[in-house]
Amino acid sequence: MNFYEFYDPYYALIKAIDEEQAVQTYIDQVAGRQDEFDDLLEECEPIYSDYAISRFAQCKCEDGNLMTIADILKTLRSDQAGVLVIDGSLI
């Protein structure tokens, strides 16, 4: 799995196989429409895993608490694509 960041219209850190899957995940779970796919593909930035892991580990859950190390590792080791961090204004 790889990691990708989006900044506009909302911030998101996404784990996906490739940029196309990252964009589709962003559209499905964060914001955007299918007709914006190409624009979002240009917006999509691949990032280093160490940076992604540190960003993910610093974020709080919906209840305001940090995730446990076990939950962080389970999420990162999973083969499932998904949103790891989302813009706080969307919660």
Side-chain angles (χ1 to χ4, degrees):
M1 286 289 184
N2 300 299
F3 301 95
Y4 303 91
E5 279 187 316
F6 295 81
Y7 293 96
D8 189 44
Y10 299 103
Y11 176 81
L13 171 61
I14 295 178
K15 180 176 79 162
I17 293 173
D18 56 26
E19 290 176 340
E20 288 80 14
Q21 185 181 39
V23 169
Q24 191 60 55
T25 301
Y26 185 87
I27 290 170
D28 292 344
Q29 298 182 23
V30 180
R33 299 181 316 269
Q34 277 307 129
D35 63 342
E36 299 173 320
F37 190 93
D38 291 335
D39 292 336
L40 289 168
L41 192 58
E42 289 181 26
E43 168 77 19
C44 179
E45 281 189 41
I47 58 171
Y48 291 107
S49 61
D50 290 344
Y51 172 77
I53 292 165
S54 67
R55 291 277 294 169
F56 182 52
Q58 293 175 13
C59 291
K60 294 182 179 180
C61 299
E62 292 177 5
D63 64 6
N65 295 317
L66 293 173
M67 292 176 59
T68 66
I69 296 296
D71 287 339
I72 292 168
L73 292 174
K74 180 180 176 183
T75 301
L76 293 172
R77 290 177 177 162
S78 156
D79 289 337
Q80 185 175 7
V83 177
L84 300 179
V85 180
I86 192 168
D87 192 306
S89 65
L90 295 174
I91 296 176

